[in-house]
């Protein structure tokens, strides 16, 4: 009974790790499916019961790893409200796609530092798998990226948040006359993540 | 001063005027001039001076603190603009705190974040770029514009042709006669050039030029009107304006006058032999100005073996004579606007053959038929070129009742001076009076593929070498050699035969 209880207990730090891992595989899937980088610079990894593509280019990994570390830190501090991946054209700086992850953190303050929530890990994995599977399937309705594109990652956080040097103030990078498609969401019982993609309509 | 600059007299007048406007006449008796203005109920009666809002003491203390504290001594505190360029100074803690305190929310109108939210971007515009030359694979597959083209869709281009002459020679004295033949290129790469009364032999490989007559040219026969090598290249025949045809052997050494001359053939009543065609076994076909075509057997004394003329022949001078490759038929072009095809079996018989009927008569040209040529790569195709006022080349199929295959408008003004067929490329080259050489591709529906301006004057002669060169003679008295049919030796070995070594040793 004690073992089962320990396995299903989710703490704030554990939930932050789970969400960070989701962002790791989710952002890499977006990079692969939208063909921002050559497909031969990705390698296969098994996770959540899926075969996922993860970039193994050194420069890209050196770019993403500090980003995910900082995201995990802010998740554990309950300061992360939204993560947005912005895909824009290189020449004109026009935003063509926007992947938005809204994060809602449950309040565990009254329960103390070591408060836990109970949720089965298998169910969490299944929900994350559903979201990433939907990210993969979204290639079918998203428009073709004809021009060379680049990406940025925005973070929505509180005003009193301390930021490292790499993070600069930015606008919201909204798309005019955009279409929005709501994807699935998942929850670790501490963090809830809602996913939607906004893209520029051609007509 | 509590009265605030108001005199008692003016206060009384103001009160009365306002009372009359508002209709408060009953209060007129109560109004007495007084210094105490606090009793007035309406604030507009205060007067004509503005009294600003007085700051309280706390705000004044805060301003004094900001001005006199040590934060004021830093330079960067005064420079709070985020867009103004700053020199690279060391960041101080007070400066950073002051910047955060005084930051203005400038992007509030453009964001969807809440009022208390902040948007941070990780290394803006610094994501690593993809590999150089990387193109979206979906774009390669589904792109509709023609930026990216696979190799299979590259349009096939025509081959490159060198448009300048490789060799240019002067030909002083080249007769300006469109209906004569002044040049011939033998199978041994010796070119015979007739300049007036002289005959020059030019080896295109060694560039040796020799005069056959060496200032002893016969002048009693008039100008040379046609030049032709024999088939194997040992003898050369010259037609003269008088109608005589002389056969020379350039191999024989010159010891006495006219000793190189082998024979002179004369036909009664003939004049101006303008076209000669050799056949095997020593038969030479000559066309004369009278329209008669005579076949000479140069080996026997009674050299006339047949004569094609009379009512079945031409009525004006014969300008073109060519035998087909299998020597089954001979084509003759004439100034009477007709071309006739003669049966090869009518060359020799038991007796002299007189005026046989030709196989076919081509009468569709609107001008003189100046040139005629059998196609060397497509069996049974005959090409006839028109003269002045008829710049067309007509193609005929001699194996299908001589029906016309195609008519090509080569030259708008003037005529076609010569036709050369090229076997490796299946192309036809024409020379015309506008000075142009034109290449027609027989495999592409006789399409014109190249146009080369070879001269500014009409081209009188066009002869082809045994290989890939052509020689033209124009009215500028210039001879030019063009390389228009270059063939890669590694892929066309069978078409590149070596020049025949017939033992010709011009002395």
């Amino acid at each position: 009974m004690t073992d089962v209880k320990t396995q299903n207990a989710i703490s704030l730090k554990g939930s932050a790790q789970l969400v960070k891992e989701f962002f790791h595989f989710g952002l890499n899937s977006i990079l692969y499916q939208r063909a921002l980088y050559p497909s031969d610079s990705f390698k296969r990894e098994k996770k959540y019961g899926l075969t996922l593509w993860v970039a193994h280019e050194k420069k890209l990994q050196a770019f993403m790893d500090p980003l995910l570390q900082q995201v995990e830190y802010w998740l554990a501090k309950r300061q992360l409200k939204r993560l947005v991946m912005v895909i824009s054209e290189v020449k004109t700086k026009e935003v063509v796609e926007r992947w938005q992850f809204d994060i809602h953190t449950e309040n565990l303050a009254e329960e103390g530092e070591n408060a836990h929530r109970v949720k089965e890990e298998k169910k969490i994995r299944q929900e994350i798998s559903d979201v990433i599977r939907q990210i993969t399937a979204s290639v079918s309705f998203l428009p073709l990226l004809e021009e060379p594109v680049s990406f940025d990652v925005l973070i929505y956080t509180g005003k009193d948040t301390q930021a490292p040097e790499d993070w600069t103030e930015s606008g919201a990078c909204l798309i005019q006359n955009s279409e929005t498609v709501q994807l699935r969401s998942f929850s670790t019982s501490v963090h809830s993540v809602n996913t939607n993609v906004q893209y520029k309509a051609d007509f | 001063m509590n009265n605030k600059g108001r005199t008692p007299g003016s206060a009384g007048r103001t009160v009365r005027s306002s009372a009359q406007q508002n209709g408060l006449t009953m209060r007129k008796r109560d109004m007495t001039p007084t210094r105490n203005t606090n009793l007035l109920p309406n604030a507009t009666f205060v007067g004509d001076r503005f009294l600003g809002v007085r700051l309280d003491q706390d705000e004044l203390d805060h301003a004094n603190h900001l001005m006199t504290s040590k934060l004021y001594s830093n330079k960067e505190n005064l420079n709070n603009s985020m867009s103004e360029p700053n020199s690279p100074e060391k960041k101080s803690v007070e400066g950073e705190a002051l910047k955060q305190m005084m930051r203005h929310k400038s992007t509030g109108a453009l964001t969807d974040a809440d009022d208390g939210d902040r948007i941070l971007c990780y290394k803006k515009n610094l994501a690593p770029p993809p590999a150089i030359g990387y193109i979206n694979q979906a774009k390669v597959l589904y792109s509709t514009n023609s930026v990216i083209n696979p190799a299979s869709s590259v349009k096939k281009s025509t081959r490159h042709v060198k448009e300048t002459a490789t060799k240019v020679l002067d030909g002083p004295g080249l007769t300006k006669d469109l209906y004569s033949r002044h040049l011939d290129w033998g199978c041994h790469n010796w070119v015979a050039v007739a300049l007036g009364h002289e005959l020059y032999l030019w080896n295109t490989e060694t560039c040796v030029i020799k005069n056959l007559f060496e200032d002893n040219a016969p002048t009693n026969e008039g100008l040379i009107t046609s030049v032709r090598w024999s088939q194997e290249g040992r003898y050369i025949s010259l037609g003269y304006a008088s109608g005589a045809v002389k056969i020379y052997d350039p191999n024989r050494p010159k010891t006495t006058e006219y000793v190189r001359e082998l024979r002179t053939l004369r036909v009664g009543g003939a004049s101006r032999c303008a076209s000669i065609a050799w056949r095997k076994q020593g038969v030479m076909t000559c066309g004369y100005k009278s329209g008669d075509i005579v076949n000479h057997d140069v080996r026997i004394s009674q050299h006339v073996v047949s004569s094609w003329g009379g009512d079945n022949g031409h009525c004006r001078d014969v300008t073109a004579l060519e035998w087909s490759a299998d020597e089954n038929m001979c084509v003759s072009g004439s100034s009477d606007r007709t071309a006739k095809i003669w049966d090869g079996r009518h060359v020799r018989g038991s007796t002299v053959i007189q005026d046989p009927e030709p196989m076919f008569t081509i009468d569709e040209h609107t001008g003189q038929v100046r040139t005629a040529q059998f196609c060397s790569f497509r069996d049974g195709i005959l090409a006839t070129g028109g003269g002045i006022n008829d710049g067309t080349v007509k193609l005929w199929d001699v194996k299908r009742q001589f029906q016309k295959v195609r008519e090509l408008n080569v030259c708008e003004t003037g005529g076609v001076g010569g036709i050369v067929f090229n076997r490796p490329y299946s192309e036809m080259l024409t020379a015309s009076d506008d000075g142009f050489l034109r290449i027609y591709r027989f495999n592409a529906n006789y399409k014109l593929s190249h146009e080369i301006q070879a001269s500014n004057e009409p081209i009188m002669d066009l002869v082809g070498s045994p290989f890939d060169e052509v020689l033209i003679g124009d009215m500028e008295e210039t001879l030019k050699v063009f390389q228009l049919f270059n063939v890669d030796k590694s892929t066309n070995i069978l078409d590149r035969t070596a020049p025949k070594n017939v033992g010709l040793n011009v002395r």
Side-chain angles (χ1 to χ4, degrees), chain B residues 241-422:
Chain B
S242 66
V245 177
K246 294 173 180 293
I247 303 173
Y248 294 90
D249 184 0
N251 257 349
R252 293 180 55 156
K254 175 179 164 53
T255 52
T256 57
E257 187 176 355
Y258 303 134
V259 75
R260 295 195 189 185
E261 178 182 333
L262 297 179
R263 205 169 172 176
T264 300
L265 309 174
R266 300 182 190 274
V267 177
S271 63
R272 198 182 186 278
C273 175
S275 53
I276 298 174
W278 281 82
R279 210 186 161 199
K280 292 190 176 69
Q281 294 99 33
V283 174
M284 182 176 64
T285 310
C286 301
Y288 295 96
K289 187 176 181 181
S290 59
D292 294 323
I293 299 169
V294 177
N295 288 286
H296 304 270
D297 192 339
V298 301
R299 300 168 297 177
I300 58 178
S301 60
Q302 303 298 319
H303 48 81
V304 177
V305 291
S306 60
S307 172
W308 305 335
D311 291 337
N312 292 328
H314 295 291
C315 54
R316 290 187 61 183
D317 53 321
V318 179
T319 57
L321 270 177
E322 287 291 331
W323 281 96
S324 62
D326 51 5
E327 297 188 344
N328 283 335
M329 57 188 74
C330 177
V331 62
S332 62
S334 173
S335 292
D336 62 356
R337 307 184 177 184
T338 63
K340 292 177 186 290
I341 294 97
W342 306 89
D343 199 341
R345 292 171 295 180
H346 292 156
V347 166
R348 190 196 304 271
S350 57
T351 59
V352 176
I353 300 175
Q354 285 282 349
D355 304 336
E357 190 165 345
M359 302 169 70
F360 191 76
T361 299
I362 296 169
D363 54 1
E364 293 197 23
H365 277 280
T366 59
Q368 297 96 333
V369 179
R370 200 160 121 196
T371 181
Q373 199 75 235
F374 281 97
C375 186
S376 59
F377 49 85
R378 195 168 291 184
D379 202 11
I381 297 293
L382 166 69
T384 55
I388 296 182
N389 298 327
D390 182 9
T392 63
V393 168
K394 301 182 200 297
L395 303 173
W396 312 86
D397 196 338
V398 300
K399 290 183 177 300
R400 292 177 186 163
Q401 284 82 43
F402 299 93
Q403 64 180 10
K404 185 164 70 173
V405 175
R406 182 58 69 104
E407 177 173 329
L408 305 169
N409 286 301
V410 173
C411 185
E412 295 294 327
T413 63
V416 177
I419 294 172
V420 162
F421 285 99
N422 180 256

